[in-house]
Amino acid sequence: MDYFRIEGGTRLRGSVRISGAKNAALPIMAACILCQGEVILRDVPDLADIRLMVKLLERLGVKVWREDGTGEMHLMVQDETNTHAEYELVRQMRGSVCVMGPLLAKRGLCRVSMPGGCAIGDRPIDLHVMGMAALGGRVELLGGDILIKAEHGLKGTEMFLAGPFGSTVLGTANVMMAAVLAQGTTVIESAACEPEVVDLGNFLNACGAKVTGQGTHRIIIEGVEELHGCDYQIIPDRIETGTFMLAAAISNGEIEIQNCDMNDMLAVVDRLRRTGVNIEKGDDRTAVVSSSRRLEPTPIVTLPYPGFPTDLQAQMMALLCLADGNSMVTERIFPDRFMHVGELNRMGARLHREGPTVIVEGVKRLVGAPVMASDLRASAALVLAGLVAEGVTAISRVYHIDRGYEQIEAKLSALGAKIQRLQE
Ligand code: EPU
């Protein structure tokens, strides 16, 4: 099994290009089930989760081919008989659930395994199912799978798509994808506003759909007869962007970030500036992030977009470990997403968890240690801590990081980090 060996202490300097967004690419790839004709997607990152989605789509009759090393992916539906997203794939990647909407809308039937829990907590899909039922899908539970039928098509309706915690990102994506071919108009109230949802709406429109309001809490979808193929560029990954901003900050370095959209990063920019990090936005999708001193503490509360993203909570906590004072980090999206806390403490951090909140007592230094990656973003936090820790950090189970960061060790090495991928 691969592990990372990191020798801490280098100030990172140079430029890095951000890849296309994993969480935008996954639902957009699933949406290709809806299209007649070829779809070309650009800037699709080469990641384990994307390869899993390719495998799932291939089983569902979609031909997928890539231009090596270019980020270009071609997708075309060839066979519409299979409608079953099996447990074997769904349990490996929760994002697989977003084939539900397209299968139901295009093939009149879908059978999707319940994904179950994962390392970041209990992750139900009740809202996805409720959305499909509101559009007229008939729902049954069959051996751990959800079976939904709509032989005579779906019907547009108004729905409130949120739970006590707020909106759902992939739930909104699923309902949008189901509603584009429904009869009549669908209104999703309390829709997720994340940039990845906006990207999906823009993609669907490029294929001939009529989606408006994406990026607000009210999305309106007028059903159309069919969708065609298109040529579409995926947005830059805002979580990878944030992770490299934090890499510059934690290493007291200076990094030029290319291919980023700082308009999607407002909460992150705000919090980092409060800690004393310098961020200069350039024109043309670049920003320079630098830091040269010990940072100030700051409170963090994760929230749906445009709030601080849960997918950067662990990495931000790694930075706050070294701030000059105490910070409070509260997780409002996934209250158990704290697997990194114990590992960071092994490196000399002083983190104290109380339910969904962690008190971060700032320390002067972290020390290298063998630590274990537990999920994608927790692993990124350990890499950041390793970059600045004294001595050597060995991070095992890096397959977690390969799910969501394209060539992270190559990108960090190019910035001067001493990081190697080795085999146990
Ligand atoms: N929820 C329900 N019922 C549902 C759906 C969600 O109770 O039917 C709850 C969840 O348990 C959670 C909250 O709603 O408390 C929000 O979850 P959401 O549905 O928005 O999450 P998601 O769509 O399953 C996506 C990303 C996650 C990211 C979250 C939040 C993808 C593939 N996944 O998940 O990304 O953390 O939105 O922004 O887009 C990651 O990339 O590391 C990752 C986990």
Side-chain angles (χ1 to χ4, degrees), residues 64-94:
V64 186
W65 65 106
R66 295 198 70 146
E67 300 294 331
D68 279 348
T70 61
E72 190 177 316
M73 179 181 277
H74 299 245
L75 304 98
M76 188 151 70
V77 176
Q78 289 197 318
D79 178 354
E80 298 198 298
T81 36
N82 189 13
T83 51
H84 188 183
E86 287 161 59
Y87 185 52
E88 178 216 337
L89 288 179
V90 177
R91 78 183 161 81
Q92 292 181 57
M93 182 180 65
R94 203 182 172 284

Side-chain angles (χ1 to χ4, degrees), residues 22-23 26 94-95 120 122-128 165-171 194 238 310-311 332-335 337 376-377:
K22 163 182 87 82
N23 289 349
L26 289 172
R94 203 182 172 284
I120 66 177
D122 181 23
R123 297 177 69 188
I125 55 165
D126 53 316
L127 294 169
H128 301 235
F165 47 81
S167 54
T168 160
V169 176
L170 289 179
E194 271 66 6
R238 66 193 167 101
T310 173
D311 291 344
R332 292 246 189 267
I333 310 291
F334 298 114
R337 192 175 202 176
L376 169 56
R377 309 303 174 185

Side-chain angles (χ1 to χ4, degrees), residues 45-63:
D46 188 13
L47 300 169
D49 275 11
I50 297 288
R51 289 191 284 272
L52 267 173
M53 181 56 90
V54 168
K55 203 165 166 185
L56 174 59
L57 290 175
E58 283 174 346
R59 289 197 192 172
L60 294 171
V62 184
K63 185 177 174 209

Side-chain angles (χ1 to χ4, degrees), residues 101-109 131-138 148-157 177-184 186 223-225:
L103 284 177
L104 187 63
K106 189 69 176 44
R107 305 187 188 178
L109 180 69
M132 299 304 127
L135 290 167
R138 282 173 294 111
I148 313 180
K149 294 181 188 162
E151 298 90 336
H152 306 297
L154 296 168
K155 256 193 137 142
T157 186
M177 293 186 282
V180 284
L181 295 182
Q183 258 177 51
T186 300
V224 296
E225 287 288 314

Side-chain angles (χ1 to χ4, degrees), residues 10 69 75 104 117 122 132 139 163 181 192 198 215 228 246 261 273 277-278 303 324 331 340 344-345 404:
T10 317
L75 304 98
L104 187 63
D122 181 23
M132 299 304 127
V139 182
L181 295 182
V198 177
H228 48 73
L246 285 159
D261 189 344
R273 283 194 172 139
V277 175
N278 306 309
L303 289 169
D324 191 14
E331 177 54 68
H340 43 287
L344 288 171
N345 281 343

